[in-house]
Amino acid sequence: MATRELMYREALREAIDEEMAANPTVFIIGEGIAERGGSYKVTEGLLAKYGPKRVRDTPIAEAGMIGVGVGAAIAGARPIVEILYVDFAMLGMDMIVNQAAKFRLMTGGDGRVPFIMRTQGGTGGGVAAQHSQSLEALFYHIPGLRVVMPSTPADAKGLLKYALRQEDPVMFLEHKHLYMTKGPVPDGEHVVPFGVGDIKREGSDVTVIAWSNMIPRTLEAAEALAAEGISVEVIDPRTLVPLDRDMIIKSVLKTRRCVIVQEANRRGGVASDIASIVQEECFYEMDAPVEIVAGMDIPVPFNLTLEKASVPQKEDVVAAVKRVLHVQSLAAAAE
Amino acid sequence: MGAAASLQNAPSREFLEKLFRTAYKIRVFESEGIKLYRQGLIRGYFHPYLGQEGIATGVCAALSEGDFIASTHRGHGHCIAWGADVNKMVAELLQKETGYCRGYGGSMHIADISKGNLGANGIVGAGTPLGVGAALANQVKGSDAVTVTFSTDGASNNGTFLESLNLAAIWNLNFILVIENNQYAVSTRIEESTRDTDLYKRGLAIGVESHQVDGNDPLAVHAVMEQAVATCRAGKGPVLIEAKTYRHMGHHVNDPGKYMPEEELAYYKARDPVDRARNALREMAGVSDEEIAAIEAEIAAEFADAVEFSKNSPEVTPESFREFAVGY
Ligand SMILES: Cc1ncc(C[n+]2csc(CCOP(=O)(O)OP(=O)(O)O)c2C)c(N)n1
Ligand SMILES: [Mg+2]
């Protein structure tokens, strides 16, 4: 299929643009997203094309913004609320957890909430503890939400288009480090359904599961390991809820080894839950315990060296893969 | 502010009868519902609207099909005034499959999105952003529908009160915030939660047309609402209406409300909104006591039928619930 090289942020913009053109009830609100085009330039040009009714700047009022987004979705529109940092979504947690996630059940299934919160998280900017969190586990824990974490421009576009066509509240979690990354995006209509993972690299010795910005890092690790003759299969679930359990289980049954990489701190994280699924389904077929490579259980510090130390790096992934393969490093063997 | 009970054009009998029917229906629903609660047929939270009927009655009478409402934890009256099916309401309280929410929601979550009822809410203050959101959706769609959020004195000190009303204001949304100031949040008096107890002034502070009205006077509420709806449809919304009122009992069915001073309660009971609606029908439209008694009997019978319907409705089963849960 023909593709074009697009940046992650351009791919997101295409998705919004195409869906706004197709559906007049799609609209977007956020801080500085209209005239200025947003802090990450995702919404550039949309104001000129769709006008101030459908592309609106808001005051700094996250609980209110998320709340009106949820209300608009309940009332039959398809709002996208852009929140500058996932850290700021915490101000709107009542609206996400107690309203958006609950409405469908509380109405016996009649009420649906096609609300999309687009936001970004993760480290990489040296922007310190209140602007660097990876908070997917909070949303993952809440039944009724969909949790989407694209790692490539193509996935970003396809998943956002799908989000704008389904009926449930979506936590669309982008990564601040990915906006400027480039990748091939298929020409024409490109929609990626939820709950379908993607094998980012095929391999036979170890399955490594990762998402968001841990995908490029894991792919680098896989490349380095390939040079040492180790074949790594990299699985990107793309959506954490719903989770493509089948793809994960199938891969682990094939490689018999599993490493899970998450940028978020380890305690209570999504990786732990995936590990529990893997051990439940694959335990007797496995040659090593599941390894989790995760952020440290501490807020992200400002100092760049410490920031790096607090979240998984390529070397951490390489080391974990070797551990599940029982490969001793030369240095360790020499001791 | 202001909006004294306006009797500019003498209201029609039809209109006055509608007001009385609504107010009385709420009164019956709540007082009979409490009996069902005492019999153990209803469990959980039940916040009666007794004493506040004039507000939902007057507000909804000024709205049209296609408009939206969002409600509170004390929401039965709003549903009824909005024209809800009493069978489905009672069935929901009795946690039956035939209830508005299949028994999954209960008293605090009755909603009917097909009719523009965005639902009651178990979170104090949550209805305000949701209502503003519905108004925003309507503006995006090019509809001139109006959305009313019924809110409370308690919710007025929550951050989303300002955030969402301000959003409605900068976007000129067709949104009306009706604050039912019953002067209590559970047992906490309004004087303890805010220095200035005239809550309508908060709208003025951010450039929103704001009114204060006697919430126990359904005609006065209706008059100020008509004005508010006109403001909205002229593209000059939102509007804030503070309706002063008082509960006839404690916060919920199991709260004896001992903290409510007797004289104060007596003062408001002497200004009972249902009596006022009845008197208006009798005095302004010349409807006889016999006719009124017939209306009351009809409404009581409708409620009794709803109880029968609900008792005879099928129970919700774990099997169907497990099916519902797939893919959650
Ligand atoms: C966010 C939140 N905090 C606390 C409660 C518990 N609660 C339920 S009703 C209530 C009092 C509400 O008073 P008010 O808002 O004035 O409404 P009223 O009961 O008087 O109608 C409280 C504190 C809640 N449901 N939600
Ligand atoms: Mg109150």
Side-chain angles (χ1 to χ4, degrees):
Chain A
M1 190 192 290
T3 61
R4 292 152 299 140
E5 282 288 305
L6 288 184
M7 278 195 270
Y8 190 84
R9 70 184 188 198
E10 292 167 334
L12 289 164
R13 185 187 312 139
E14 261 194 14
I16 299 169
D17 190 356
E18 289 175 14
E19 294 306 300
M20 284 187 86
N23 182 346
T25 72
V26 175
F27 69 96
I28 180 159
I29 68 172
E31 292 164 20
I33 61 135
E35 190 66 49
R36 186 158 68 89
S39 293
Y40 315 105
K41 303 276 171 258
V42 170
T43 53
E44 229 168 34
L46 295 178
L47 173 66
K49 196 156 172 192
Y50 297 103
K53 245 191 189 171
R54 296 176 67 194
V55 182
R56 302 183 189 222
D57 283 335
T58 63
I60 303 155
E62 283 75 11
M65 292 154 65
I66 294 172
V68 302
V70 174
I74 289 173
R78 289 192 170 271
I80 304 172
V81 176
E82 178 177 306
I83 298 290
L84 282 174
Y85 286 81
V86 70
D87 314 67
F88 308 164
M90 301 302 99
L91 284 86
M93 283 303 258
D94 169 55
M95 287 294 144
I96 296 168
V97 176
N98 292 326
Q99 310 300 330
K102 302 293 187 281
F103 196 69
R104 177 174 166 199
L105 173 124
M106 292 191 310
T107 55
D110 290 343
R112 301 303 289 265
V113 191
F115 159 74
I116 298 180
M117 179 177 80
R118 274 190 48 242
T119 186
Q120 58 81 22
T123 58
V127 284
Q130 295 170 335
H131 295 70
S132 299
Q133 297 176 86
S134 299
L135 295 173
E136 62 268 24
L138 297 183
F139 304 119
Y140 179 88
H141 186 64
I142 304 299
L145 301 178
R146 301 284 178 243
V147 183
V148 181
M149 297 193 77
S151 67
T152 66
D155 290 348
K157 177 176 180 183
L159 290 165
L160 187 52
K161 282 178 70 87
Y162 187 84
L164 283 160
R165 299 176 184 191
Q166 55 81 63
E167 301 296 330
D168 290 309
V170 177
M171 303 292 104
F172 200 93
L173 307 177
E174 298 155 14
H175 195 288
K176 56 172 68 64
H177 219 240
L178 291 174
Y179 285 119
M180 310 274 275
T181 58
K182 281 191 168 174
V185 176
D187 285 343
E189 192 67 0
H190 173 61
V191 181
V192 176
F194 291 177
V196 182
D198 190 36
I199 300 176
K200 295 294 186 207
R201 180 185 176 112
E202 284 195 39
S204 53
D205 295 332
V206 188
T207 298
V208 181
I209 302 156
W211 50 91
S212 191
N213 195 39
M214 289 298 108
I215 284 290
R217 207 158 284 181
T218 298
L219 288 172
E220 281 173 32
E223 194 61 34
L225 286 159
E228 298 185 44
I230 296 170
S231 166
V232 177
E233 177 143 299
V234 180
I235 298 235
D236 180 356
R238 301 196 284 196
T239 61
L240 298 178
V241 183
L243 183 70
D244 192 344
R245 291 168 59 112
D246 291 348
M247 177 178 282
I248 291 169
I249 292 163
K250 204 172 144 210
S251 174
V252 176
L253 290 179
K254 178 178 82 175
T255 63
R256 309 171 76 95
R257 292 175 170 88
C258 178
V259 173
I260 309 167
V261 186
Q262 75 177 13
E263 181 169 350
N265 63 295
R266 164 133 187 184
R267 196 185 296 144
V270 176
S272 304
D273 196 49
I274 294 177
S276 83
I277 294 168
V278 170
Q279 70 83 19
E280 204 168 70
E281 301 288 341
C282 312
F283 183 82
Y284 293 107
E285 313 298 324
M286 293 182 72
D287 291 337
V290 178
E291 275 262 356
I292 291 177
V293 183
M296 288 168 64
D297 285 316
I298 190 165
V300 175
F302 168 65
N303 175 286
L304 216 48
T305 307
L306 302 188
E307 178 190 285
K308 277 196 173 153
S310 75
V311 296
Q313 302 299 322
K314 176 182 134 190
E315 298 70 35
D316 301 316
V317 180
V318 168
V321 167
K322 288 184 176 174
R323 279 197 298 276
V324 298
L325 281 165
H326 314 295
V327 177
Q328 302 276 315
S329 76
L330 289 178
E335 265 174 31
Chain B
M1 67 162 286
S6 69
L7 307 174
Q8 328 91 310
N9 316 311
S12 69
R13 167 188 169 142
E14 195 194 353
F15 173 73
L16 292 168
E17 183 175 327
K18 184 174 127 185
L19 284 191
F20 173 63
R21 279 179 177 272
T22 303
Y24 191 74
K25 206 191 238 188
I26 302 172
R27 178 63 52 93
V28 167
F29 186 97
E30 299 295 54
S31 19
E32 294 300 311
I34 291 170
K35 287 184 198 158
L36 297 176
Y37 197 100
R38 304 275 180 242
Q39 291 164 25
L41 284 169
I42 300 177
R43 305 166 306 101
Y45 274 120
F46 184 128
H47 303 93
Y49 199 60
L50 295 171
Q52 302 182 201
E53 295 92 337
I55 302 170
T57 299
V59 165
C60 291
L63 295 174
S64 315
E65 214 179 303
D67 290 338
F68 288 77
I69 65 163
S71 156
T72 68
H73 57 284
R74 199 178 299 287
H76 305 157
H78 309 135
C79 285
I80 291 169
W82 191 237
D85 178 342
V86 174
N87 280 356
K88 291 169 87 173
M89 284 184 70
V90 175
E92 187 60 32
L93 298 195
L94 267 62
Q95 53 183 357
K96 294 299 183 91
E97 181 77 45
T98 52
Y100 262 111
C101 318
R102 303 179 73 183
Y104 292 9
S107 164
M108 285 190 294
H109 303 300
I110 296 177
D112 184 4
I113 201 65
S114 68
K115 298 261 162 57
N117 179 352
L118 304 168
N121 216 302
I123 304 295
V124 169
T128 313
L130 298 180
V132 172
L136 174 59
N138 285 319
Q139 191 183 68
V140 168
K141 290 182 194 168
S143 151
D144 77 341
V146 167
T147 303
V148 169
T149 287
F150 292 97
S151 186
T152 60
D153 50 293
S156 309
N157 299 314
N158 177 291
T160 56
F161 168 90
L162 175 71
E163 292 190 27
S164 30
L165 190 59
N166 185 56
L167 287 171
I170 58 172
W171 293 333
N172 306 321
L173 299 182
N174 284 4
F175 176 72
I176 302 171
L177 183 62
V178 176
I179 302 178
E180 304 194 25
N181 183 357
N182 64 10
Q183 307 172 58
Y184 278 97
V186 192
S187 58
T188 307
R189 283 195 68 90
I190 185 164
E191 292 83 2
E192 294 175 52
S193 353
T194 186
R195 191 182 260 189
D196 188 337
T197 57
D198 283 332
L199 299 175
Y200 75 94
K201 292 179 187 164
R202 303 204 181 171
L204 300 178
I206 56 167
V208 170
E209 177 182 317
S210 301
H211 306 271
Q212 191 175 50
V213 67
D214 176 358
N216 283 23
D217 182 346
L219 282 169
V221 172
H222 176 259
V224 74
M225 258 302 286
E226 285 217 303
Q227 193 180 325
V229 169
T231 297
C232 286
R233 303 233 207 260
K236 295 184 181 141
V239 178
L240 185 158
I241 297 171
E242 176 193 6
K244 281 241 152 89
T245 186
Y246 206 77
R247 301 186 313 236
H248 276 190
M249 56 181 290
H251 173 63
H252 52 55
V253 290
N254 294 324
D255 171 17
K258 293 251 165 58
Y259 47 84
M260 299 162 74
E262 272 174 36
E263 327 75 66
E264 199 174 55
L265 184 56
Y267 173 90
Y268 282 98
K269 280 198 166 174
R271 286 154 186 79
D272 182 288
V274 180
D275 286 350
R276 277 176 160 175
R278 187 189 289 106
N279 290 341
L281 183 59
R282 193 190 285 124
E283 286 153 27
M284 296 167 77
V287 175
S288 71
D289 287 344
E290 291 72 40
E291 285 175 280
I292 289 173
I295 292 170
E296 293 182 357
E298 190 193 311
I299 289 170
E302 189 194 343
F303 187 85
D305 288 348
V307 175
E308 273 317 294
F309 166 82
S310 303
K311 283 183 179 168
N312 296 328
S313 289
E315 299 290 343
V316 177
T317 65
E319 288 71 33
S320 63
F321 178 59
R322 280 188 205 107
E323 270 171 42
F324 181 89
V326 171
Y328 234 82

